[in-house]
Amino acid sequence: MENYVKYNCEDTTTYAYNNIIYKYIVPFLGNFELQKLQPVFIQHTPKTVITGCA
């Protein structure tokens, strides 16, 4: 977000991305310690967010 979106996208797009990240992704992945976060959890996140299943 800080390296690309902030400088290359409109303010409304940045706002929308932030909203999605903090409303859906952080609540799901925020429970994991960074050292324990594995690619499978990240790959599973979009399906979980869309279906609402954990």
Side-chain angles (χ1 to χ4, degrees):
M1 290 290 295
E2 291 294 320
N3 294 329
Y4 181 82
V5 175
K6 183 177 180 179
Y7 301 107
N8 295 294
C9 296
E10 297 290 330
D11 289 341
T12 53
T13 302
T14 303
Y15 175 81
Y17 287 172
N18 273 319
N19 190 32
I20 291 167
I21 290 169
Y22 288 104
K23 186 173 182 181
Y24 299 106
I25 297 173
V26 169
F28 180 73
L29 294 178
N31 296 327
F32 296 98
E33 293 180 32
L34 287 178
Q35 294 82 6
K36 294 181 180 179
L37 190 59
Q38 298 177 1
V40 69
F41 297 125
I42 297 169
Q43 293 167 347
H44 183 68
T45 299
K47 181 178 179 184
T48 302
V49 169
I50 291 168
T51 62
C53 300

